[in-house]
Short mmCIF file of all heavy atoms in Angstrom, two decimals:
data_model
loop_
_atom_site.label_atom_id
_atom_site.label_comp_id
_atom_site.label_asym_id
_atom_site.label_seq_id
_atom_site.Cartn_x
_atom_site.Cartn_y
_atom_site.Cartn_z
N PHE F 54 -114.15 120.01 -76.37
CA PHE F 54 -113.95 119.81 -77.81
C PHE F 54 -115.23 120.11 -78.58
O PHE F 54 -115.19 120.64 -79.69
CB PHE F 54 -113.48 118.37 -78.07
CG PHE F 54 -112.06 118.13 -77.63
CD1 PHE F 54 -111.79 117.62 -76.38
CD2 PHE F 54 -111.00 118.42 -78.47
CE1 PHE F 54 -110.48 117.40 -75.96
CE2 PHE F 54 -109.69 118.21 -78.07
CZ PHE F 54 -109.43 117.70 -76.81
N GLY F 55 -116.37 119.74 -77.97
CA GLY F 55 -117.64 120.03 -78.62
C GLY F 55 -117.88 121.51 -78.81
O GLY F 55 -118.33 121.96 -79.87
N LYS F 56 -117.57 122.31 -77.79
CA LYS F 56 -117.74 123.76 -77.88
C LYS F 56 -116.78 124.36 -78.91
O LYS F 56 -117.14 125.30 -79.64
CB LYS F 56 -117.52 124.39 -76.51
CG LYS F 56 -118.63 124.09 -75.51
CD LYS F 56 -118.35 124.73 -74.16
CE LYS F 56 -119.47 124.45 -73.18
NZ LYS F 56 -119.19 125.03 -71.83
N ALA F 57 -115.57 123.82 -78.96
CA ALA F 57 -114.59 124.32 -79.93
C ALA F 57 -115.04 123.99 -81.36
O ALA F 57 -114.87 124.81 -82.27
CB ALA F 57 -113.22 123.71 -79.65
N TRP F 58 -115.61 122.80 -81.56
CA TRP F 58 -116.13 122.45 -82.88
C TRP F 58 -117.26 123.39 -83.27
O TRP F 58 -117.32 123.90 -84.40
CB TRP F 58 -116.64 121.01 -82.89
CG TRP F 58 -117.22 120.60 -84.21
CD1 TRP F 58 -118.47 120.89 -84.69
CD2 TRP F 58 -116.57 119.88 -85.25
NE1 TRP F 58 -118.65 120.37 -85.94
CE2 TRP F 58 -117.50 119.74 -86.33
CE3 TRP F 58 -115.31 119.31 -85.40
CZ2 TRP F 58 -117.19 119.08 -87.51
CZ3 TRP F 58 -115.00 118.63 -86.57
CH2 TRP F 58 -115.92 118.52 -87.60
N GLU F 59 -118.15 123.63 -82.32
CA GLU F 59 -119.29 124.50 -82.61
C GLU F 59 -118.83 125.90 -83.01
O GLU F 59 -119.41 126.52 -83.91
CB GLU F 59 -120.19 124.59 -81.36
CG GLU F 59 -121.46 125.39 -81.57
CD GLU F 59 -122.35 125.40 -80.35
OE1 GLU F 59 -122.06 124.64 -79.40
OE2 GLU F 59 -123.32 126.17 -80.33
N LYS F 60 -117.76 126.38 -82.38
CA LYS F 60 -117.28 127.73 -82.68
C LYS F 60 -116.59 127.80 -84.04
O LYS F 60 -116.80 128.75 -84.80
CB LYS F 60 -116.32 128.20 -81.60
CG LYS F 60 -115.76 129.59 -81.86
CD LYS F 60 -114.88 130.08 -80.72
CE LYS F 60 -114.34 131.48 -81.02
NZ LYS F 60 -113.53 132.02 -79.90
N HIS F 61 -115.78 126.81 -84.37
CA HIS F 61 -114.91 126.92 -85.54
C HIS F 61 -115.28 126.04 -86.73
O HIS F 61 -114.93 126.36 -87.87
CB HIS F 61 -113.46 126.58 -85.14
CG HIS F 61 -112.85 127.59 -84.23
ND1 HIS F 61 -112.53 128.87 -84.63
CD2 HIS F 61 -112.48 127.49 -82.92
CE1 HIS F 61 -111.98 129.52 -83.62
NE2 HIS F 61 -111.94 128.73 -82.58
N LEU F 62 -115.99 124.93 -86.50
CA LEU F 62 -116.17 123.96 -87.58
C LEU F 62 -117.62 123.55 -87.82
O LEU F 62 -117.88 122.68 -88.65
CB LEU F 62 -115.34 122.71 -87.28
CG LEU F 62 -113.82 122.87 -87.45
CD1 LEU F 62 -113.10 121.69 -86.81
CD2 LEU F 62 -113.45 122.96 -88.92
N SER F 63 -118.55 124.19 -87.15
CA SER F 63 -119.95 123.76 -87.27
C SER F 63 -120.48 123.87 -88.69
O SER F 63 -121.35 123.10 -89.10
CB SER F 63 -120.83 124.56 -86.32
OG SER F 63 -120.71 125.95 -86.57
N LYS F 64 -119.93 124.79 -89.49
CA LYS F 64 -120.42 124.92 -90.87
C LYS F 64 -120.02 123.73 -91.72
O LYS F 64 -120.59 123.52 -92.80
CB LYS F 64 -119.92 126.22 -91.49
CG LYS F 64 -118.46 126.23 -91.89
CD LYS F 64 -118.12 127.53 -92.63
CE LYS F 64 -116.70 127.55 -93.16
NZ LYS F 64 -116.41 128.78 -93.92
N TYR F 65 -119.07 122.94 -91.24
CA TYR F 65 -118.65 121.77 -92.00
C TYR F 65 -119.34 120.49 -91.55
O TYR F 65 -119.11 119.42 -92.11
CB TYR F 65 -117.13 121.59 -91.88
CG TYR F 65 -116.36 122.63 -92.68
CD1 TYR F 65 -115.74 123.69 -92.03
CD2 TYR F 65 -116.30 122.55 -94.06
CE1 TYR F 65 -115.04 124.66 -92.76
CE2 TYR F 65 -115.62 123.51 -94.79
CZ TYR F 65 -115.00 124.55 -94.14
OH TYR F 65 -114.31 125.51 -94.87
N GLY F 66 -120.18 120.60 -90.52
CA GLY F 66 -120.90 119.40 -90.12
C GLY F 66 -121.53 119.54 -88.74
O GLY F 66 -120.90 120.07 -87.81
N SER F 67 -122.74 119.06 -88.61
CA SER F 67 -123.44 119.09 -87.32
C SER F 67 -123.58 117.69 -86.73
O SER F 67 -124.07 117.53 -85.61
CB SER F 67 -124.83 119.71 -87.48
OG SER F 67 -125.59 119.01 -88.45
N ASP F 68 -123.16 116.67 -87.50
CA ASP F 68 -123.20 115.30 -87.00
C ASP F 68 -121.92 115.05 -86.19
O ASP F 68 -120.91 114.58 -86.72
CB ASP F 68 -123.30 114.32 -88.17
CG ASP F 68 -123.57 112.89 -87.70
OD1 ASP F 68 -123.69 112.68 -86.47
OD2 ASP F 68 -123.65 111.99 -88.56
N VAL F 69 -121.98 115.41 -84.92
CA VAL F 69 -120.79 115.37 -84.06
C VAL F 69 -121.08 114.51 -82.83
O VAL F 69 -122.04 114.76 -82.10
CB VAL F 69 -120.38 116.80 -83.62
CG1 VAL F 69 -119.16 116.75 -82.71
CG2 VAL F 69 -120.11 117.67 -84.83
N ILE F 70 -120.28 113.50 -82.64
CA ILE F 70 -120.40 112.61 -81.49
C ILE F 70 -119.36 113.03 -80.46
O ILE F 70 -118.15 113.02 -80.74
CB ILE F 70 -120.18 111.14 -81.89
CG1 ILE F 70 -121.01 110.77 -83.13
CG2 ILE F 70 -120.47 110.23 -80.71
CD1 ILE F 70 -122.49 110.93 -82.95
N VAL F 71 -119.81 113.38 -79.27
CA VAL F 71 -118.92 113.86 -78.21
C VAL F 71 -118.91 112.86 -77.06
O VAL F 71 -119.97 112.41 -76.60
CB VAL F 71 -119.36 115.25 -77.69
CG1 VAL F 71 -118.46 115.71 -76.55
CG2 VAL F 71 -119.36 116.27 -78.83
N GLY F 72 -117.72 112.49 -76.63
CA GLY F 72 -117.59 111.56 -75.52
C GLY F 72 -116.25 111.71 -74.84
O GLY F 72 -115.54 112.70 -75.04
N ASN F 73 -115.91 110.71 -74.03
CA ASN F 73 -114.63 110.72 -73.33
C ASN F 73 -113.97 109.37 -73.45
O ASN F 73 -114.60 108.32 -73.26
CB ASN F 73 -114.83 111.06 -71.84
CG ASN F 73 -115.18 112.52 -71.65
OD1 ASN F 73 -114.40 113.40 -71.97
ND2 ASN F 73 -116.38 112.77 -71.13
N TRP F 74 -112.68 109.41 -73.78
CA TRP F 74 -111.91 108.17 -73.89
C TRP F 74 -111.63 107.57 -72.51
O TRP F 74 -111.82 106.38 -72.30
CB TRP F 74 -110.59 108.45 -74.64
CG TRP F 74 -109.63 107.31 -74.56
CD1 TRP F 74 -109.84 106.04 -75.02
CD2 TRP F 74 -108.32 107.31 -73.98
NE1 TRP F 74 -108.74 105.24 -74.77
CE2 TRP F 74 -107.79 106.00 -74.13
CE3 TRP F 74 -107.54 108.29 -73.37
CZ2 TRP F 74 -106.52 105.66 -73.67
CZ3 TRP F 74 -106.28 107.95 -72.92
CH2 TRP F 74 -105.77 106.65 -73.06
N GLU F 75 -111.20 108.39 -71.56
CA GLU F 75 -110.92 107.92 -70.21
C GLU F 75 -111.26 109.04 -69.23
O GLU F 75 -110.61 110.08 -69.21
CB GLU F 75 -109.45 107.52 -70.07
CG GLU F 75 -109.04 107.10 -68.67
CD GLU F 75 -109.88 105.96 -68.12
OE1 GLU F 75 -109.68 104.80 -68.52
OE2 GLU F 75 -110.79 106.25 -67.29
N SER F 76 -112.30 108.82 -68.43
CA SER F 76 -112.79 109.86 -67.52
C SER F 76 -112.19 109.79 -66.13
O SER F 76 -112.33 110.73 -65.34
CB SER F 76 -114.32 109.77 -67.41
OG SER F 76 -114.93 109.99 -68.66
N ASP F 77 -111.53 108.70 -65.79
CA ASP F 77 -110.93 108.55 -64.48
C ASP F 77 -109.52 109.15 -64.49
O ASP F 77 -108.68 108.74 -65.30
CB ASP F 77 -110.87 107.08 -64.08
CG ASP F 77 -110.26 106.87 -62.71
OD1 ASP F 77 -111.00 106.92 -61.72
OD2 ASP F 77 -109.02 106.70 -62.64
N TRP F 78 -109.27 110.10 -63.61
CA TRP F 78 -107.99 110.82 -63.63
C TRP F 78 -106.79 109.89 -63.42
O TRP F 78 -105.81 109.95 -64.15
CB TRP F 78 -107.98 111.93 -62.57
CG TRP F 78 -106.73 112.73 -62.58
CD1 TRP F 78 -105.60 112.54 -61.82
CD2 TRP F 78 -106.44 113.85 -63.43
NE1 TRP F 78 -104.64 113.47 -62.14
CE2 TRP F 78 -105.12 114.29 -63.12
CE3 TRP F 78 -107.15 114.52 -64.41
CZ2 TRP F 78 -104.52 115.36 -63.76
CZ3 TRP F 78 -106.55 115.61 -65.05
CH2 TRP F 78 -105.26 116.01 -64.73
N GLY F 79 -106.88 109.01 -62.44
CA GLY F 79 -105.77 108.10 -62.17
C GLY F 79 -105.52 107.16 -63.32
O GLY F 79 -104.35 106.94 -63.71
N GLN F 80 -106.57 106.61 -63.89
CA GLN F 80 -106.41 105.70 -65.02
C GLN F 80 -105.86 106.43 -66.24
O GLN F 80 -105.06 105.87 -67.00
CB GLN F 80 -107.76 105.06 -65.37
CG GLN F 80 -108.08 103.84 -64.54
CD GLN F 80 -107.10 102.72 -64.78
OE1 GLN F 80 -106.23 102.44 -63.94
NE2 GLN F 80 -107.19 102.07 -65.92
N LEU F 81 -106.28 107.69 -66.42
CA LEU F 81 -105.76 108.46 -67.55
C LEU F 81 -104.26 108.63 -67.44
O LEU F 81 -103.53 108.48 -68.44
CB LEU F 81 -106.44 109.83 -67.60
CG LEU F 81 -105.91 110.78 -68.69
CD1 LEU F 81 -106.19 110.22 -70.09
CD2 LEU F 81 -106.49 112.17 -68.54
N GLN F 82 -103.77 108.97 -66.25
CA GLN F 82 -102.34 109.17 -66.09
C GLN F 82 -101.56 107.91 -66.41
O GLN F 82 -100.50 107.94 -67.03
CB GLN F 82 -102.02 109.66 -64.67
CG GLN F 82 -102.74 110.93 -64.25
CD GLN F 82 -102.72 112.01 -65.33
OE1 GLN F 82 -101.66 112.36 -65.85
NE2 GLN F 82 -103.88 112.53 -65.67
N TYR F 83 -102.09 106.77 -65.98
CA TYR F 83 -101.43 105.50 -66.25
C TYR F 83 -101.47 105.16 -67.75
O TYR F 83 -100.46 104.83 -68.36
CB TYR F 83 -102.08 104.38 -65.44
CG TYR F 83 -101.56 103.01 -65.83
CD1 TYR F 83 -100.30 102.58 -65.41
CD2 TYR F 83 -102.32 102.16 -66.64
CE1 TYR F 83 -99.81 101.33 -65.79
CE2 TYR F 83 -101.84 100.92 -67.01
CZ TYR F 83 -100.59 100.51 -66.59
OH TYR F 83 -100.12 99.29 -66.98
N ARG F 84 -102.65 105.26 -68.33
CA ARG F 84 -102.82 104.82 -69.72
C ARG F 84 -102.06 105.71 -70.68
O ARG F 84 -101.42 105.23 -71.62
CB ARG F 84 -104.31 104.79 -70.08
CG ARG F 84 -105.08 103.71 -69.37
CD ARG F 84 -106.57 103.78 -69.70
NE ARG F 84 -106.87 103.23 -71.02
CZ ARG F 84 -108.09 103.22 -71.55
NH1 ARG F 84 -109.11 103.76 -70.87
NH2 ARG F 84 -108.30 102.72 -72.75
N ARG F 85 -102.09 107.02 -70.46
CA ARG F 85 -101.42 107.92 -71.40
C ARG F 85 -99.91 107.74 -71.33
O ARG F 85 -99.21 107.83 -72.34
CB ARG F 85 -101.80 109.37 -71.16
CG ARG F 85 -101.20 110.05 -69.95
CD ARG F 85 -101.69 111.48 -69.86
NE ARG F 85 -101.16 112.20 -68.73
CZ ARG F 85 -100.17 113.08 -68.77
NH1 ARG F 85 -99.56 113.32 -69.92
NH2 ARG F 85 -99.76 113.71 -67.70
N LEU F 86 -99.39 107.45 -70.12
CA LEU F 86 -97.95 107.25 -69.99
C LEU F 86 -97.53 105.95 -70.68
O LEU F 86 -96.49 105.91 -71.34
CB LEU F 86 -97.55 107.23 -68.52
CG LEU F 86 -96.03 107.21 -68.26
CD1 LEU F 86 -95.39 108.50 -68.77
CD2 LEU F 86 -95.74 107.02 -66.78
N GLU F 87 -98.34 104.91 -70.55
CA GLU F 87 -98.03 103.66 -71.24
C GLU F 87 -98.04 103.85 -72.76
O GLU F 87 -97.19 103.31 -73.47
CB GLU F 87 -99.05 102.58 -70.82
CG GLU F 87 -98.85 102.06 -69.42
CD GLU F 87 -97.46 101.45 -69.22
OE1 GLU F 87 -97.14 100.48 -69.93
OE2 GLU F 87 -96.71 101.96 -68.37
N VAL F 88 -99.01 104.62 -73.26
CA VAL F 88 -99.06 104.90 -74.69
C VAL F 88 -97.84 105.70 -75.12
O VAL F 88 -97.26 105.45 -76.19
CB VAL F 88 -100.37 105.64 -75.05
CG1 VAL F 88 -100.31 106.19 -76.47
CG2 VAL F 88 -101.56 104.70 -74.91
N GLU F 89 -97.42 106.65 -74.30
CA GLU F 89 -96.25 107.45 -74.65
C GLU F 89 -94.98 106.59 -74.69
O GLU F 89 -94.08 106.83 -75.49
CB GLU F 89 -96.08 108.60 -73.66
CG GLU F 89 -97.11 109.71 -73.87
CD GLU F 89 -96.92 110.90 -72.96
OE1 GLU F 89 -95.98 110.86 -72.14
OE2 GLU F 89 -97.70 111.85 -73.06
N LYS F 90 -94.93 105.56 -73.85
CA LYS F 90 -93.76 104.69 -73.83
C LYS F 90 -93.81 103.63 -74.92
O LYS F 90 -92.80 103.30 -75.53
CB LYS F 90 -93.64 104.00 -72.46
CG LYS F 90 -93.23 104.94 -71.33
CD LYS F 90 -92.88 104.17 -70.07
CE LYS F 90 -94.09 103.54 -69.44
NZ LYS F 90 -93.78 102.90 -68.12
N ARG F 91 -95.03 103.11 -75.21
CA ARG F 91 -95.13 101.92 -76.06
C ARG F 91 -95.92 102.13 -77.35
O ARG F 91 -95.97 101.25 -78.20
CB ARG F 91 -95.75 100.79 -75.25
CG ARG F 91 -94.94 100.41 -74.02
CD ARG F 91 -95.73 99.62 -72.99
NE ARG F 91 -96.28 98.40 -73.55
CZ ARG F 91 -97.23 97.68 -72.97
NH1 ARG F 91 -97.75 98.09 -71.82
NH2 ARG F 91 -97.68 96.58 -73.54
N GLY F 92 -96.54 103.30 -77.49
CA GLY F 92 -97.26 103.59 -78.72
C GLY F 92 -98.74 103.27 -78.63
O GLY F 92 -99.18 102.52 -77.75
N PRO F 93 -99.55 103.81 -79.56
CA PRO F 93 -101.01 103.67 -79.48
C PRO F 93 -101.51 102.26 -79.78
O PRO F 93 -102.65 101.92 -79.43
CB PRO F 93 -101.51 104.66 -80.54
CG PRO F 93 -100.39 104.77 -81.53
CD PRO F 93 -99.13 104.65 -80.70
N GLU F 94 -100.70 101.44 -80.43
CA GLU F 94 -101.16 100.10 -80.81
C GLU F 94 -101.43 99.20 -79.62
O GLU F 94 -102.09 98.16 -79.76
CB GLU F 94 -100.15 99.45 -81.75
CG GLU F 94 -99.91 100.20 -83.05
CD GLU F 94 -101.14 100.29 -83.95
OE1 GLU F 94 -102.03 99.42 -83.85
OE2 GLU F 94 -101.20 101.25 -84.74
N ILE F 95 -100.95 99.57 -78.43
CA ILE F 95 -101.19 98.72 -77.25
C ILE F 95 -102.62 98.83 -76.75
O ILE F 95 -103.08 97.98 -76.00
CB ILE F 95 -100.23 99.10 -76.09
CG1 ILE F 95 -100.54 100.50 -75.54
CG2 ILE F 95 -98.79 98.97 -76.51
CD1 ILE F 95 -99.86 100.81 -74.23
N GLU F 96 -103.35 99.88 -77.18
CA GLU F 96 -104.69 100.13 -76.67
C GLU F 96 -105.77 99.48 -77.55
O GLU F 96 -105.58 99.30 -78.76
CB GLU F 96 -104.97 101.63 -76.59
CG GLU F 96 -104.37 102.29 -75.35
CD GLU F 96 -105.23 102.06 -74.11
OE1 GLU F 96 -106.33 101.47 -74.24
OE2 GLU F 96 -104.79 102.48 -73.02
N THR F 97 -106.89 99.16 -76.92
CA THR F 97 -108.05 98.67 -77.67
C THR F 97 -108.79 99.87 -78.27
O THR F 97 -108.55 101.02 -77.90
CB THR F 97 -109.01 97.90 -76.75
OG1 THR F 97 -109.38 98.75 -75.66
CG2 THR F 97 -108.33 96.66 -76.20
N VAL F 98 -109.70 99.61 -79.18
CA VAL F 98 -110.47 100.66 -79.83
C VAL F 98 -111.62 101.08 -78.92
O VAL F 98 -112.35 100.23 -78.39
CB VAL F 98 -111.01 100.18 -81.19
CG1 VAL F 98 -111.80 101.30 -81.87
CG2 VAL F 98 -109.85 99.73 -82.08
N ASP F 99 -111.77 102.37 -78.73
CA ASP F 99 -112.83 102.90 -77.88
C ASP F 99 -114.20 102.49 -78.40
O ASP F 99 -114.45 102.43 -79.60
CB ASP F 99 -112.72 104.43 -77.84
CG ASP F 99 -113.69 105.05 -76.86
OD1 ASP F 99 -113.34 105.14 -75.66
OD2 ASP F 99 -114.79 105.44 -77.29
N GLU F 100 -115.12 102.24 -77.46
CA GLU F 100 -116.46 101.78 -77.82
C GLU F 100 -117.20 102.79 -78.70
O GLU F 100 -117.95 102.41 -79.61
CB GLU F 100 -117.28 101.52 -76.55
CG GLU F 100 -116.88 100.25 -75.80
CD GLU F 100 -117.12 99.00 -76.62
OE1 GLU F 100 -118.13 98.96 -77.36
OE2 GLU F 100 -116.31 98.07 -76.55
N THR F 101 -117.01 104.07 -78.46
CA THR F 101 -117.67 105.08 -79.28
C THR F 101 -117.20 105.00 -80.72
O THR F 101 -118.00 105.15 -81.67
CB THR F 101 -117.40 106.49 -78.72
OG1 THR F 101 -117.86 106.55 -77.37
CG2 THR F 101 -118.10 107.55 -79.55
N ILE F 102 -115.94 104.76 -80.90
CA ILE F 102 -115.39 104.62 -82.26
C ILE F 102 -115.95 103.38 -82.94
O ILE F 102 -116.34 103.41 -84.11
CB ILE F 102 -113.85 104.57 -82.22
CG1 ILE F 102 -113.30 105.93 -81.76
CG2 ILE F 102 -113.28 104.19 -83.58
CD1 ILE F 102 -111.80 105.96 -81.53
N LEU F 103 -116.03 102.28 -82.20
CA LEU F 103 -116.58 101.05 -82.77
C LEU F 103 -118.04 101.24 -83.19
O LEU F 103 -118.48 100.72 -84.21
CB LEU F 103 -116.47 99.91 -81.76
CG LEU F 103 -115.06 99.38 -81.48
CD1 LEU F 103 -115.09 98.36 -80.35
CD2 LEU F 103 -114.44 98.77 -82.74
#
Side-chain angles (χ1 to χ4, degrees):
F54 288 93
K56 289 179 179 178
W58 179 280
E59 184 177 351
K60 179 176 180 177
H61 292 291
L62 287 166
S63 57
K64 75 174 185 178
Y65 288 104
S67 57
D68 189 0
V69 179
I70 311 300
V71 178
N73 288 297
W74 169 60
E75 176 56 76
S76 298
D77 180 88
W78 182 266
Q80 276 296 106
L81 176 65
Q82 303 315 309
Y83 172 76
R84 291 176 77 182
R85 74 180 180 102
L86 188 64
E87 287 301 300
V88 168
E89 286 183 0
K90 289 191 290 186
R91 300 162 58 195
E94 299 296 334
I95 67 167
E96 279 280 356
T97 56
V98 180
D99 186 85
E100 286 297 323
T101 302
I102 293 173
L103 290 174

